[in-house]
Amino acid sequence: MPKKAKRKQNKGFEFPKGLSEDVIRKISQIKEEPDWMLEMRLEAYKVFLEKPMPTWGPDLSDIDFNDIKYYATAGDRTHTWDEVPGDIRQTFDDLGIPEHEKKFLAGVSTQYESEIIYHNLQERYQDSGLVFESIDEGLHKYPTLYKEYFGKLIPHDDNKFAALNSAVWSGGSFIYVPKGVKIAIPVETYFRINTENMGQFERTLIIADEDSEVHYIEGCTAPQYSTNSLHAAVVELFAAKNAHIKYTTIQNWSKNVYNLVTKRGKAQEGARIEWLDVNIGSKVTMKYPSVILEGDNSRGEVLSMALADSGQDLDTGAKMIHLGKNTSSIIDSRTVSVGSGKATYRGISRITSRAASARAVVNCDGLLIDEESKSYAYPHNIVSNDSSTLEHEASVSKVNQEQVNYLMSRGIPAEEAQQLIVTGYVDPVIDELPLEYSVELERLLQIILNREGKGHQKTAAN
């Protein structure tokens, strides 16, 4: 495919707060986009203004769209780590990104605010034909693919926050895996919000052609500020015949971030799409990874974990829509609530009338650490033919004091015993993560549970 000449370089800057048609035009102008993309942005902005805020889930009334910055960049993208600005490089050094890249990644991108600041793909995977670009570069290099796939699975009128993303999107990843190419090790993008009152609106578009395979990992962090930030991403996955896409998210936003994300995949005949979703942090999360099982014998899987700490409202789950024959899906959701945290499972598993001999399994479990924590489940299961089966199991339980007492009798302190029980509860998620990430997740769980345990001790002492 023909490639457009390199675009002009930009220095770091940020927009003032507020959203308007002029802001959208400026974003599109900076990116030197084709007219059809600007038209799509402007149409999405109209939809965003018309659609009301959702009221069926967590409270979103504190979001002030005019108190958010919609675009910021630290400067030009580079393929050389040493060329990343020093303060930004230190941030990602502290997060371990360079080490992850060296050890077990086929490619890595790091996004700081609205733009990719560093991007690299190992040469041997370039030779395979794998395309791994920032979403912005992909638009300029592969416009035909974008016209065919961009916004087709999640249209701009899907929901209010998908409309907002479609209007102001910036940064993210574009991946195309050619026929028969199987990428043995993951590619990763790490997203960082580092500015107060910043909005991040990345898009990810992954197209896996027939008989191909790819594992994509995204990590997300933000420092704590006194005011709220907004993260509203859109992810579209397309798995062609017998293709396999695995999408892993490890989210550790600070407690001032509204994390409102739309993620959806479509699986053709014999294809498989997996979502592995880890949610720790944020003030509010609303995220329900979905798979449309369009082709016969296609499979969809969601394995998710959400830990709601004090003052957090994590509303997570999954959606599986069976259209093809002999399709199968698994939703395994595990939530942990601690302190005043609130964790909710919200999901849909739908087997349509034409999805003969389909099978769906739904498991949603909640674990309560103390008396103040809350757990809810809102499953929505529909079977519309007689040859299919759907299994559903749900439970909410408290940390078993007998187990704690037994571990304490073996010389293990109470706090550590509680951590071991929680870790065992989320082990199916930890086991699916690459080693470096599983170790990181276990440490995060220990830090949060230790902090909450000490907080309760202080309250009791007072």
Side-chain angles (χ1 to χ4, degrees):
M1 296 181 185
K3 296 184 179 181
K4 188 172 179 177
K6 187 176 181 181
R7 292 175 288 136
K8 64 184 180 183
Q9 301 296 293
N10 295 305
K11 295 182 179 181
F13 63 93
E14 64 185 46
F15 283 7
K17 296 176 184 178
L19 181 58
S20 66
E21 184 176 309
D22 185 54
V23 167
I24 294 165
R25 289 184 180 276
K26 285 180 180 177
I27 293 174
S28 187
Q29 182 181 17
I30 289 168
K31 297 176 179 297
E32 300 178 17
E33 293 177 342
D35 291 342
W36 66 266
M37 182 58 75
L38 174 58
E39 291 171 4
M40 181 183 293
R41 286 182 182 273
L42 294 174
E43 180 60 32
Y45 179 55
K46 293 178 183 177
V47 173
F48 166 73
L49 293 176
E50 293 169 356
K51 278 190 176 292
M53 289 284 277
T55 57
W56 43 265
D59 182 11
L60 305 177
S61 60
D62 282 346
I63 298 177
D64 183 352
F65 293 105
N66 287 318
D67 195 38
I68 294 170
K69 298 171 185 176
Y70 287 87
Y71 184 84
T73 176
D76 299 326
R77 189 186 75 169
T78 178
H79 297 282
T80 304
W81 191 253
D82 291 340
E83 292 179 0
V84 175
D87 57 334
I88 299 174
R89 187 171 65 249
Q90 186 61 51
T91 297
F92 288 115
D93 283 342
D94 293 343
L95 292 167
I97 303 302
E99 292 305 311
H100 288 180
E101 179 184 7
K102 293 173 187 174
K103 288 180 179 178
F104 71 100
L105 294 174
V108 65
S109 281
T110 54
Q111 179 162 332
Y112 196 87
E113 314 300 16
S114 301
E115 296 288 2
I116 296 294
I117 193 70
Y118 170 74
H119 182 89
N120 190 41
L121 176 63
Q122 290 186 21
E123 186 175 346
R124 59 177 169 151
Y125 293 102
Q126 292 180 15
D127 295 340
S128 74
L130 172 69
V131 175
F132 177 41
E133 294 280 358
S134 72
I135 196 76
D136 306 87
E137 287 297 317
L139 173 62
H140 288 271
K141 293 181 178 180
Y142 306 96
T144 302
L145 284 176
Y146 272 57
K147 286 184 178 180
E148 183 177 355
Y149 291 100
F150 189 97
K152 297 301 189 292
L153 195 51
I154 303 175
H156 61 260
D157 59 355
D158 188 86
N159 62 77
K160 188 174 183 69
F161 292 97
L164 177 61
N165 177 283
S166 298
V168 299
W169 68 267
S170 185
S173 299
F174 169 65
I175 295 175
Y176 171 75
V177 192
K179 289 182 180 180
V181 172
K182 300 181 187 297
I183 307 302
I185 56 179
V187 295
E188 180 190 40
T189 302
Y190 209 102
F191 300 100
R192 174 79 172 182
I193 298 176
N194 217 64
T195 298
E196 196 169 3
N197 292 100
M198 188 66 210
Q200 194 170 78
F201 308 97
E202 81 275 2
R203 286 190 82 103
T204 300
L205 174 60
I206 300 178
I207 305 165
D209 217 328
E210 294 183 10
D211 299 301
S212 66
E213 185 173 335
V214 67
H215 181 188
Y216 177 83
I217 300 174
E218 67 171 3
C220 314
T221 62
Q224 178 70 51
Y225 289 114
S226 59
T227 54
N228 296 326
S229 297
L230 174 62
H231 175 245
V234 165
V235 176
E236 296 176 298
L237 310 181
F238 293 88
K241 183 178 180 181
N242 297 325
H244 179 197
I245 300 174
K246 183 174 182 178
Y247 195 107
T248 297
T249 300
I250 304 166
Q251 165 201 306
N252 185 28
W253 294 120
S254 61
K255 288 187 180 181
N256 65 315
V257 174
Y258 283 88
N259 182 44
L260 311 170
V261 180
T262 308
K263 295 185 170 185
R264 192 169 300 153
K266 181 185 287 187
Q268 302 297 342
E269 181 184 350
R272 179 183 179 190
I273 293 179
E274 295 180 80
W275 300 96
L276 178 58
D277 208 43
V278 178
N279 301 285
I280 298 175
S282 80
K283 180 176 183 177
V284 170
T285 285
M286 296 177 73
K287 189 201 301 184
Y288 321 97
S290 309
V291 182
I292 300 172
L293 299 163
E294 185 171 74
D296 294 348
N297 303 301
S298 57
R299 290 184 291 165
E301 299 173 30
V302 175
L303 177 58
S304 69
M305 189 213 83
L307 190 152
D309 197 356
S310 291
Q312 294 179 285
D313 190 345
L314 302 191
D315 202 278
T316 61
K319 300 177 184 178
M320 292 289 178
I321 311 300
H322 293 250
L323 301 178
K325 300 174 182 178
N326 300 308
T327 50
S328 63
S329 69
I330 298 174
I331 297 174
D332 189 350
S333 170
R334 295 163 188 262
T335 64
V336 181
S337 306
V338 59
S340 60
K342 176 183 176 182
T344 300
Y345 167 80
R346 195 183 304 271
I348 296 174
S349 190
R350 178 181 298 156
I351 299 177
T352 63
S353 58
R354 69 182 190 181
S357 301
R359 182 171 183 264
V361 176
V362 181
N363 179 61
C364 47
D365 292 334
L367 181 65
L368 302 173
I369 303 300
D370 45 47
E371 296 298 327
E372 292 79 21
S373 53
K374 300 176 182 178
S375 180
Y376 300 89
Y378 300 102
H380 190 62
N381 302 322
I382 302 171
V383 180
S384 299
N385 69 65
D386 295 332
S387 62
S388 298
T389 60
L390 190 151
E391 302 172 25
H392 177 240
E393 181 179 349
S395 68
V396 177
S397 58
K398 293 183 179 180
V399 170
N400 191 314
Q401 192 58 43
E402 289 184 2
Q403 291 177 324
V404 175
N405 292 339
Y406 172 77
L407 292 172
M408 290 175 64
S409 73
R410 311 298 291 181
I412 299 173
E415 285 184 5
E416 188 176 338
Q418 183 171 272
Q419 291 168 16
L420 287 171
I421 293 169
V422 173
T423 301
Y425 170 72
V426 299
D427 251 352
V429 178
I430 293 174
D431 289 346
E432 286 295 316
L433 293 171
L435 177 60
E436 285 81 355
Y437 293 104
S438 64
V439 172
E440 179 183 346
L441 177 58
E442 288 186 3
R443 287 174 180 166
L444 282 170
L445 290 173
Q446 290 174 4
I447 290 169
I448 293 169
L449 292 171
N450 272 337
R451 182 176 65 232
E452 284 298 325
K454 291 176 182 178
H456 284 296
Q457 288 173 11
K458 290 180 180 179
T459 300
N462 292 334

